[in-house]
Coordinates of all heavy atoms in Angstrom, one line a residue:
D72 N -10.5 11.2 3.4 CA -10.1 12.4 3.9 C -10.6 12.6 5.4 O -9.9 13.2 6.3 CB -10.9 13.6 3.0 CG -10.2 14.8 3.3 OD1 -9.0 15.0 3.7 OD2 -10.8 15.9 3.0
L73 N -11.8 12.0 5.7 CA -12.2 12.0 7.1 C -11.3 11.3 8.0 O -10.9 11.8 9.1 CB -13.6 11.3 7.2 CG -14.1 11.2 8.6 CD1 -14.4 12.7 9.2 CD2 -15.4 10.3 8.6
L74 N -10.8 10.1 7.5 CA -9.7 9.4 8.4 C -8.4 10.2 8.5 O -7.8 10.2 9.6 CB -9.6 8.1 7.8 CG -10.6 7.1 8.0 CD1 -10.4 5.7 7.3 CD2 -10.9 6.7 9.5
T75 N -8.1 10.8 7.4 CA -6.8 11.7 7.6 C -7.0 12.8 8.6 O -6.2 13.1 9.4 CB -6.6 12.4 6.1 OG1 -6.3 11.3 5.1 CG2 -5.3 13.4 6.3
D76 N -8.1 13.4 8.5 CA -8.5 14.5 9.5 C -8.6 13.9 10.9 O -8.0 14.6 11.8 CB -9.9 15.0 9.1 CG -10.3 16.3 10.0 OD1 -9.6 17.3 9.9 OD2 -11.2 16.2 10.8
M77 N -9.1 12.8 11.0 CA -9.2 12.2 12.4 C -7.8 11.9 13.0 O -7.6 12.1 14.2 CB -10.0 11.0 12.4 CG -11.5 11.2 12.2 SD -12.6 9.8 11.8 CE -12.1 8.6 13.0
A78 N -7.0 11.4 12.1 CA -5.5 11.1 12.5 C -4.8 12.3 12.9 O -4.0 12.3 14.0 CB -4.9 10.3 11.4
E79 N -5.1 13.4 12.2 CA -4.3 14.7 12.5 C -4.9 15.3 13.8 O -4.1 16.0 14.6 CB -4.6 15.7 11.4 CG -4.0 15.4 10.0 CD -4.4 16.3 8.9 OE1 -5.5 17.0 9.2 OE2 -3.9 16.2 7.8
Q80 N -6.2 15.0 14.1 CA -6.7 15.6 15.4 C -6.7 14.7 16.5 O -7.1 15.1 17.6 CB -8.2 16.0 15.1 CG -8.3 17.1 14.0 CD -9.8 17.6 14.0 OE1 -10.4 18.0 15.1 NE2 -10.2 17.8 12.8
S81 N -6.2 13.5 16.5 CA -6.2 12.6 17.6 C -5.1 13.1 18.6 O -4.2 13.9 18.3 CB -5.7 11.2 17.0 OG -6.7 10.6 16.2
L82 N -5.4 12.6 19.9 CA -4.6 12.9 20.9 C -3.0 12.5 20.7 O -3.0 11.4 20.1 CB -5.0 12.3 22.2 CG -6.4 12.9 22.8 CD1 -6.9 12.2 23.9 CD2 -6.3 14.4 23.0
P83 N -2.1 13.2 21.1 CA -0.7 12.7 20.9 C -0.5 11.5 21.8 O -1.2 11.3 22.7 CB 0.1 14.0 21.3 CG -0.8 14.7 22.3 CD -2.2 14.5 21.7
A84 N 0.7 10.8 21.5 CA 1.0 9.6 22.3 C 1.3 10.1 23.7 O 1.8 11.1 24.0 CB 2.3 9.0 21.6
A85 N 1.1 9.2 24.6 CA 1.4 9.3 26.1 C 2.8 9.3 26.3 O 3.6 8.8 25.5 CB 0.7 8.4 26.8
D86 N 3.3 9.9 27.4 CA 4.6 10.0 27.9 C 4.6 10.1 29.5 O 4.8 11.0 30.0 CB 5.5 11.1 27.2 CG 7.0 11.0 27.7 OD1 7.3 10.1 28.3 OD2 7.7 11.9 27.3
T87 N 4.3 8.9 30.0 CA 4.0 8.8 31.4 C 5.3 8.5 32.1 O 5.4 8.6 33.4 CB 3.0 7.7 31.7 OG1 3.6 6.4 31.4 CG2 1.7 7.9 31.1
G88 N 6.3 8.0 31.4 CA 7.6 7.8 32.1 C 7.8 6.3 32.3 O 9.0 5.9 32.7
T89 N 6.8 5.4 32.1 CA 6.9 4.1 32.2 C 6.2 3.4 30.9 O 5.2 4.0 30.4 CB 6.5 3.5 33.4 OG1 5.0 3.5 33.3 CG2 7.0 4.1 34.6
L90 N 6.8 2.3 30.5 CA 6.1 1.6 29.4 C 4.7 1.1 29.7 O 3.8 1.3 29.0 CB 6.9 0.3 29.0 CG 6.4 -0.5 27.8 CD1 6.2 0.3 26.6 CD2 7.3 -1.7 27.6
A91 N 4.5 0.6 30.9 CA 3.2 0.1 31.3 C 2.2 1.3 31.4 O 1.1 1.2 30.9 CB 3.3 -0.5 32.7
G92 N 2.7 2.5 31.8 CA 1.7 3.7 31.9 C 1.4 4.0 30.4 O 0.2 4.3 30.1
D93 N 2.4 4.0 29.6 CA 2.1 4.5 28.2 C 1.2 3.6 27.5 O 0.3 3.9 26.8 CB 3.4 4.6 27.4 CG 4.3 5.8 27.9 OD1 3.8 6.6 28.7 OD2 5.5 5.9 27.5
L94 N 1.4 2.3 27.7 CA 0.6 1.3 27.0 C -0.8 1.3 27.6 O -1.8 1.1 26.9 CB 1.2 -0.1 27.1 CG 2.4 -0.4 26.4 CD1 2.9 -1.8 26.4 CD2 2.4 0.0 24.9
R95 N -0.9 1.5 28.8 CA -2.2 1.7 29.5 C -3.0 2.9 29.0 O -4.2 2.7 28.6 CB -2.1 1.7 31.0 CG -3.4 1.6 31.7 CD -3.1 1.4 33.3 NE -2.5 0.2 33.5 CZ -1.2 0.0 34.0 NH1 -0.5 1.1 34.1 NH2 -0.8 -1.2 34.3
A96 N -2.4 3.9 28.7 CA -2.9 5.1 28.3 C -3.4 4.8 26.7 O -4.5 5.3 26.4 CB -2.0 6.3 28.1
N97 N -2.6 4.1 26.0 CA -3.0 3.7 24.6 C -4.3 2.9 24.7 O -5.2 3.1 24.0 CB -1.9 3.0 23.9 CG -2.2 2.6 22.5 OD1 -2.7 1.5 22.3 ND2 -1.9 3.5 21.6
A98 N -4.3 1.9 25.5 CA -5.4 1.0 25.6 C -6.7 1.7 26.0 O -7.8 1.5 25.5 CB -5.2 -0.2 26.6
V99 N -6.5 2.6 27.0 CA -7.7 3.4 27.4 C -8.3 4.3 26.3 O -9.5 4.4 26.1 CB -7.3 4.4 28.6 CG1 -8.3 5.3 28.9 CG2 -7.0 3.4 29.8
L100 N -7.3 5.0 25.4 CA -7.7 5.7 24.4 C -8.5 4.9 23.4 O -9.6 5.3 22.9 CB -6.5 6.4 23.8 CG -6.8 7.3 22.6 CD1 -7.7 8.4 22.8 CD2 -5.4 7.9 22.0
V101 N -8.0 3.7 23.0 CA -8.6 2.9 22.1 C -10.0 2.5 22.6 O -11.1 2.6 21.9 CB -7.9 1.6 21.8 CG1 -8.6 0.6 21.0 CG2 -6.6 1.9 21.1
R102 N -10.1 2.1 23.8 CA -11.4 1.6 24.4 C -12.4 2.8 24.4 O -13.6 2.7 24.1 CB -11.2 1.1 25.7 CG -12.6 0.7 26.5 CD -12.4 0.1 28.0 NE -13.6 0.0 28.5 CZ -14.2 0.9 29.3 NH1 -13.6 2.1 29.6 NH2 -15.4 0.7 29.9
E103 N -11.9 4.0 24.9 CA -12.9 5.1 25.0 C -13.4 5.5 23.6 O -14.6 5.9 23.4 CB -12.3 6.2 25.6 CG -12.0 6.1 27.1 CD -11.3 7.3 27.8 OE1 -10.8 8.1 27.0 OE2 -11.2 7.3 29.0
T104 N -12.5 5.5 22.6 CA -12.9 5.7 21.3 C -14.0 4.8 20.8 O -14.9 5.2 20.2 CB -11.7 5.8 20.3 OG1 -10.8 6.7 20.8 CG2 -12.2 6.2 18.9
L105 N -13.8 3.5 20.8 CA -14.6 2.6 20.4 C -15.9 2.4 21.0 O -17.0 1.9 20.5 CB -14.0 1.2 20.4 CG -12.6 1.1 19.4 CD1 -12.1 -0.3 19.5 CD2 -13.0 1.4 18.0
T106 N -15.9 2.8 22.3 CA -17.2 2.8 23.2 C -17.9 4.0 23.1 O -19.2 4.1 23.7 CB -17.0 2.3 24.6 OG1 -16.0 3.3 25.2 CG2 -16.3 1.0 24.7
D107 N -17.3 5.1 22.5 CA -18.0 6.3 22.3 C -19.3 6.1 21.3 O -18.9 5.5 20.3 CB -17.3 7.3 21.8 CG -17.9 8.7 21.6 OD1 -18.1 9.5 22.6 OD2 -18.2 8.9 20.5
P108 N -20.4 6.5 21.7 CA -21.7 6.1 20.8 C -21.4 6.6 19.4 O -21.7 5.9 18.5 CB -22.7 6.9 21.5 CG -22.4 6.9 23.0 CD -20.9 7.1 22.9
R109 N -20.9 7.9 19.3 CA -20.8 8.4 17.9 C -19.5 7.8 17.2 O -19.7 7.3 16.1 CB -20.7 9.8 18.0 CG -20.4 10.6 16.5 CD -20.4 12.2 16.8 NE -20.2 12.8 15.5 CZ -21.2 13.2 14.7 NH1 -22.5 12.8 15.1 NH2 -21.0 13.7 13.6
M110 N -18.3 8.0 17.9 CA -17.1 7.4 17.2 C -17.1 5.9 16.9 O -16.6 5.5 16.0 CB -16.0 8.0 17.9 CG -15.7 9.4 18.0 SD -15.9 10.3 16.4 CE -14.5 9.4 15.4
G111 N -17.7 5.2 17.9 CA -17.8 3.8 17.7 C -18.5 3.5 16.5 O -18.2 2.7 15.7
A112 N -19.6 4.2 16.3 CA -20.4 3.9 15.1 C -19.7 4.2 13.8 O -19.8 3.6 12.8 CB -21.8 4.8 15.2
V113 N -19.0 5.3 13.9 CA -18.1 5.7 12.7 C -17.1 4.6 12.4 O -16.9 4.3 11.3 CB -17.5 7.1 12.9 CG1 -16.4 7.4 11.8 CG2 -18.4 8.2 13.0
F114 N -16.3 4.2 13.4 CA -15.4 3.1 13.1 C -16.0 1.9 12.7 O -15.4 1.1 11.8 CB -14.5 2.9 14.5 CG -13.3 3.9 14.5 CD1 -13.4 5.0 15.3 CD2 -12.2 3.7 13.7 CE1 -12.4 5.8 15.4 CE2 -11.0 4.6 13.8 CZ -11.2 5.6 14.6
R115 N -17.1 1.5 13.3 CA -17.8 0.3 12.8 C -18.2 0.4 11.4 O -18.0 -0.5 10.6 CB -19.0 0.1 13.7 CG -19.5 -1.4 13.5 CD -20.8 -1.6 14.5 NE -20.4 -1.4 15.9 CZ -19.9 -2.1 16.7 NH1 -19.4 -3.4 16.3 NH2 -19.8 -1.8 18.0
A116 N -18.7 1.6 11.0 CA -19.0 1.9 9.6 C -17.9 1.7 8.6 O -17.9 1.1 7.5 CB -19.7 3.2 9.3
V117 N -16.7 2.4 9.1 CA -15.5 2.4 8.1 C -14.9 0.9 8.0 O -14.4 0.5 7.0 CB -14.6 3.4 8.6 CG1 -13.2 3.3 7.9 CG2 -15.1 4.8 8.6
I118 N -14.8 0.3 9.2 CA -14.3 -1.1 9.2 C -15.1 -2.0 8.3 O -14.6 -2.8 7.4 CB -14.3 -1.7 10.6 CG1 -13.1 -0.9 11.4 CG2 -13.9 -3.3 10.5 CD1 -13.2 -1.3 12.9
A119 N -16.5 -1.9 8.3 CA -17.4 -2.7 7.5 C -17.1 -2.4 6.0 O -17.0 -3.2 5.2 CB -18.8 -2.3 7.9
A120 N -17.0 -1.0 5.7 CA -16.8 -0.6 4.3 C -15.5 -1.0 3.8 O -15.3 -1.5 2.5 CB -16.8 0.9 4.3
A121 N -14.3 -1.1 4.6 CA -13.0 -1.6 4.2 C -13.1 -3.0 3.8 O -12.2 -3.5 3.1 CB -12.1 -1.3 5.3
A122 N -14.0 -3.8 4.3 CA -14.1 -5.2 4.0 C -14.5 -5.4 2.5 O -14.3 -6.5 1.9 CB -15.0 -6.0 5.0
C123 N -15.2 -4.3 1.9 CA -15.7 -4.7 0.5 C -15.3 -3.6 -0.4 O -15.7 -3.5 -1.6 CB -17.2 -4.8 0.7 SG -18.1 -3.4 1.4
D124 N -14.6 -2.5 0.2 CA -14.2 -1.4 -0.8 C -12.7 -1.1 -0.7 O -12.2 -0.8 0.5 CB -15.1 -0.1 -0.4 CG -14.7 1.1 -1.3 OD1 -13.6 1.7 -1.3 OD2 -15.5 1.3 -2.2
E125 N -12.0 -1.2 -1.7 CA -10.5 -1.1 -1.7 C -10.1 0.3 -1.3 O -9.1 0.4 -0.6 CB -9.9 -1.5 -3.0 CG -8.4 -1.5 -3.0 CD -7.8 -2.4 -2.1 OE1 -8.4 -3.5 -1.7 OE2 -6.7 -2.2 -1.5
G126 N -10.9 1.3 -1.8 CA -10.5 2.5 -1.4 C -10.6 2.8 0.1 O -9.7 3.5 0.7
C127 N -11.7 2.4 0.7 CA -11.8 2.5 2.1 C -10.6 1.8 2.9 O -10.3 2.1 3.9 CB -13.2 2.0 2.5 SG -14.6 3.1 2.0
A128 N -10.4 0.5 2.3 CA -9.3 -0.3 3.0 C -8.0 0.5 3.1 O -7.4 0.5 4.0 CB -9.2 -1.6 2.2
R129 N -7.7 1.2 1.9 CA -6.4 1.9 1.9 C -6.5 3.1 2.8 O -5.5 3.4 3.6 CB -6.2 2.5 0.4 CG -5.8 1.4 -0.6 CD -5.2 1.9 -1.7 NE -6.1 2.9 -2.4 CZ -7.0 2.5 -3.5 NH1 -7.0 1.2 -3.8 NH2 -7.7 3.3 -4.0
A130 N -7.6 3.6 3.0 CA -7.9 4.8 3.9 C -7.7 4.4 5.3 O -7.0 5.1 6.0 CB -9.3 5.4 3.6
L131 N -8.2 3.2 5.7 CA -8.2 2.8 7.0 C -6.7 2.3 7.3 O -6.3 2.6 8.4 CB -9.1 1.6 7.3 CG -9.3 1.2 8.7 CD1 -10.1 2.3 9.4 CD2 -10.3 -0.1 8.6
H132 N -6.0 1.7 6.4 CA -4.6 1.4 6.6 C -3.8 2.6 6.8 O -2.9 2.7 7.7 CB -4.2 0.6 5.2 CG -2.7 0.4 5.3 ND1 -2.2 -0.6 6.1 CD2 -1.6 1.0 4.7 CE1 -0.8 -0.5 5.8 NE2 -0.5 0.4 5.1
G133 N -4.1 3.7 6.1 CA -3.3 4.9 6.2 C -3.5 5.5 7.6 O -2.7 6.1 8.2
F134 N -4.8 5.4 8.1 CA -5.2 6.0 9.5 C -4.3 5.4 10.5 O -3.6 6.0 11.3 CB -6.6 5.8 9.7 CG -7.0 6.2 11.1 CD1 -7.1 7.5 11.5 CD2 -7.1 5.3 12.0 CE1 -7.5 7.9 12.7 CE2 -7.5 5.5 13.3 CZ -7.8 6.9 13.7
Y135 N -4.4 4.0 10.5 CA -3.6 3.3 11.5 C -2.0 3.3 11.3 O -1.4 3.2 12.3 CB -4.1 1.7 11.5 CG -5.5 1.7 12.2 CD1 -6.6 1.2 11.4 CD2 -5.6 2.1 13.5 CE1 -7.8 1.2 11.9 CE2 -7.0 2.0 14.0 CZ -8.0 1.5 13.2 OH -9.3 1.5 13.8
R136 N -1.6 3.4 10.2 CA -0.2 3.6 9.8 C 0.2 4.9 10.5 O 1.4 5.0 11.2 CB 0.0 3.6 8.4 CG 1.6 3.8 8.0 CD 1.8 3.9 6.6 NE 0.9 5.0 5.9 CZ 0.4 4.8 4.7 NH1 0.7 3.8 3.9 NH2 -0.2 6.0 4.2
T137 N -0.5 5.9 10.4 CA -0.1 7.2 11.0 C -0.2 7.1 12.6 O 0.7 7.7 13.2 CB -1.2 8.3 10.6 OG1 -1.1 8.6 9.2 CG2 -0.8 9.6 11.2
R138 N -1.2 6.5 13.1 CA -1.4 6.4 14.6 C -0.3 5.5 15.2 O 0.3 5.9 16.2 CB -2.8 5.9 14.9 CG -3.9 6.9 14.6 CD -3.6 8.3 15.3 NE -3.9 8.1 16.8 CZ -3.3 9.0 17.7 NH1 -2.5 9.9 17.3 NH2 -3.6 8.9 18.9
L139 N 0.1 4.4 14.5 CA 1.1 3.6 15.0 C 2.5 4.3 15.0 O 3.2 4.2 15.9 CB 1.2 2.3 14.2 CG 0.1 1.4 14.4 CD1 0.2 0.2 13.4 CD2 0.2 0.7 15.8
A140 N 2.7 5.1 13.9 CA 3.9 5.8 13.8 C 4.0 6.9 14.9 O 5.2 7.1 15.5 CB 4.0 6.5 12.5
E141 N 2.9 7.5 15.2 CA 2.9 8.5 16.3 C 3.1 7.9 17.8 O 3.7 8.5 18.5 CB 1.6 9.2 16.3 CG 1.5 10.2 15.1 CD -0.1 10.8 15.1 OE1 -0.9 10.3 15.7 OE2 -0.2 11.7 14.2
W142 N 2.8 6.6 18.0 CA 2.9 6.1 19.2 C 4.2 5.2 19.3 O 4.7 4.8 20.3 CB 1.7 5.1 19.5 CG 0.5 5.8 20.0 CD1 -0.4 6.5 19.3 CD2 0.2 6.0 21.4 NE1 -1.2 7.1 20.2 CE2 -0.9 6.8 21.4 CE3 0.7 5.5 22.7 CZ2 -1.6 7.2 22.8 CZ3 0.2 5.9 23.9 CH2 -0.9 6.6 24.0
A143 N 4.9 5.0 18.1 CA 6.2 4.2 18.2 C 7.2 4.6 19.2 O 7.8 3.9 19.8 CB 6.7 4.1 16.8
P144 N 7.5 6.1 19.4 CA 8.4 6.5 20.3 C 8.3 6.0 21.7 O 9.1 6.0 22.5 CB 8.2 8.0 20.3 CG 7.7 8.4 18.9 CD 6.9 7.1 18.6
V145 N 6.9 5.5 22.1 CA 6.7 4.9 23.4 C 7.6 3.8 23.7 O 8.2 3.7 24.7 CB 5.2 4.6 23.5 CG1 5.0 3.6 24.6 CG2 4.4 5.8 23.7
A146 N 7.6 2.8 22.6 CA 8.5 1.6 22.8 C 10.0 1.9 22.6 O 10.8 1.4 23.2 CB 8.0 0.7 21.7
E147 N 10.3 3.0 21.8 CA 11.6 3.4 21.7 C 12.3 3.9 23.0 O 13.4 3.7 23.4 CB 11.7 4.4 20.5 CG 11.5 3.8 19.1 CD 11.1 4.9 18.1 OE1 11.2 6.1 18.5 OE2 10.8 4.5 17.0
R148 N 11.4 4.8 23.7 CA 11.9 5.3 24.9 C 11.9 4.2 26.0 O 12.9 4.2 26.8 CB 10.8 6.4 25.4 CG 10.8 7.6 24.6 CD 10.1 8.7 25.4 NE 8.7 8.5 25.6 CZ 7.8 8.8 24.8 NH1 8.1 9.5 23.7 NH2 6.4 8.6 25.0
A149 N 11.1 3.4 25.8 CA 11.1 2.2 26.9 C 12.4 1.3 26.7 O 13.0 0.8 27.6 CB 9.8 1.4 26.7
A150 N 12.7 1.2 25.4 CA 13.9 0.4 25.2 C 15.2 1.0 25.7 O 16.2 0.5 26.3 CB 14.0 0.0 23.6
A151 N 15.1 2.4 25.6 CA 16.2 3.1 26.1 C 16.3 3.1 27.5 O 17.4 3.2 28.2 CB 16.2 4.6 25.6
R152 N 15.2 3.0 28.2 CA 15.1 2.8 29.7 C 15.5 1.5 30.2 O 15.6 1.2 31.5 CB 13.8 3.3 30.3 CG 13.5 4.8 30.0 CD 12.3 5.2 30.8 NE 11.2 4.5 30.5 CZ 10.2 5.0 29.7 NH1 10.4 6.3 29.2 NH2 9.1 4.3 29.3
G153 N 15.6 0.4 29.2 CA 15.8 -0.8 29.6 C 14.6 -1.7 30.1 O 14.6 -2.8 30.6
E154 N 13.4 -1.1 29.6 CA 12.2 -1.8 29.9 C 11.7 -2.9 28.7 O 10.8 -3.6 29.1 CB 11.0 -0.7 30.1 CG 11.1 0.1 31.2 CD 10.0 1.1 31.2 OE1 10.0 2.1 30.5 OE2 9.2 0.8 32.1
L155 N 12.5 -2.7 27.6 CA 12.2 -3.7 26.6 C 13.4 -4.3 26.1 O 14.5 -3.7 26.1 CB 11.5 -3.0 25.4 CG 10.0 -2.7 25.5 CD1 9.6 -1.9 24.3 CD2 9.2 -3.8 25.5
P156 N 13.3 -5.5 25.6 CA 14.5 -6.1 24.9 C 14.9 -5.5 23.8 O 14.0 -5.0 23.0 CB 14.1 -7.6 24.7 CG 12.8 -7.9 25.5 CD 12.2 -6.6 25.7
A157 N 16.2 -5.4 23.6 CA 16.7 -4.8 22.3 C 16.1 -5.4 21.1 O 16.0 -6.5 21.0 CB 18.3 -4.8 22.2

Side-chain angles (χ1 to χ4, degrees):
D72 199 19
L73 176 63
L74 288 171
T75 297
D76 182 69
M77 288 166 57
E79 292 170 348
Q80 296 191 45
S81 294
L82 293 175
D86 186 3
T87 66
T89 68
L90 178 61
D93 291 346
L94 294 185
R95 190 168 291 112
N97 180 271
V99 168
L100 178 60
V101 171
R102 175 180 174 265
E103 289 180 347
T104 299
L105 297 182
T106 56
D107 178 82
R109 181 181 181 85
M110 294 312 301
V113 170
F114 274 99
R115 200 179 298 281
V117 173
I118 291 170
C123 57
D124 185 283
E125 184 60 28
C127 288
R129 287 195 301 270
L131 193 60
H132 173 78
F134 172 83
Y135 287 114
R136 181 180 58 207
T137 298
R138 292 301 289 152
L139 286 170
E141 290 174 346
W142 277 82
V145 162
E147 295 163 0
R148 290 193 299 265
R152 292 191 297 261
E154 294 180 282
L155 281 175

